[in-house]
Amino acid sequence: MDAEGLGWLLVPLHQLVSWGAAGAMVFGGVVPYIPQYRDIRRTQNAEGFSTYVCLVLLVANILRILFWFGRRFEAPLLWQSVVMILTMLLMLKLCTEVRVANELNVKRRGFAAADNKDEARAPPRRSHLDFDPQHFWRWSSFADYVQCVLAFTGVAGCVTYLSIDSALFVESLGFLAVLTEAMLGMPQLCRNHRHQSTEGMSIKMVLMWTSGDTFKTAYFLLNGAPLQFSVCGLLQVLVDLAILGQAYVFTRHPLKPAPHAAHPASAKAL
């Protein structure tokens, strides 16, 4: 009787834990971006956050959704991708509005050439895509980001539809999706290294990245998710730890200006 009574208690408890884990998988991935979103809104400065993080996550989660059509995996992982895509679009919208407000005199650029009120009298130009590496993904309108995401989704969707019967293509698609997601922290890592500073980056965000990726990797391993997912999680944890290492080093040993920096001629020559 004791064992039977204990069973009646453990079954609903196990179900509750499963629901909690699924909910954490769906919404836990977006929690780290809440403090960064609030910091950007409060300071009206988005320079400390790399919008290429949004690009990486958008590509990774779009590819993961397409991978689901070829190889079904757990529903929480699918809904996690949907929620993450919406979150990244919100982050892009805020960052674009803040950057445009702070760069009033900068020439407006877009994903696709469009009519500009300031150039109404200029001769018409041929429509083109603004794929200048210096300005790609730094457009002046949120609508341009949406157009780019829709264009990528359409092309990737068509290729997936035509190749869905190929097991090699499906597995490669899944590996590409998780490998892209594994590189999530690389834009932030590179930005920190380039500036030799983590100023403007939310440490809370990175700490939440680390804890979330650790939980996610354990979830993958315990629930028998495809191997690609486990590899992705392990790589993400390593990148998160590298970013935390940067924060520690750059805080303890801030970059000092070079002695010759005050000489314009020397700086220009370099």
Side-chain angles (χ1 to χ4, degrees), residues 111-115 119 122-130:
F111 171 67
D115 295 334
E119 300 176 357
R125 294 179 298 176
R126 181 173 58 87
S127 176
H128 63 280
L129 298 181
D130 187 8

Side-chain angles (χ1 to χ4, degrees), residues 50-56 180 183-194 209 239 243:
S50 174
T51 54
Y52 286 100
V53 170
C54 300
L55 174 62
V56 170
T180 304
M183 296 297 103
L184 162 65
M186 289 304 297
Q188 192 68 51
L189 188 73
C190 293
R191 181 210 167 275
N192 296 342
H193 177 73
R194 185 169 63 252
W209 274 359
V239 175
I243 296 176

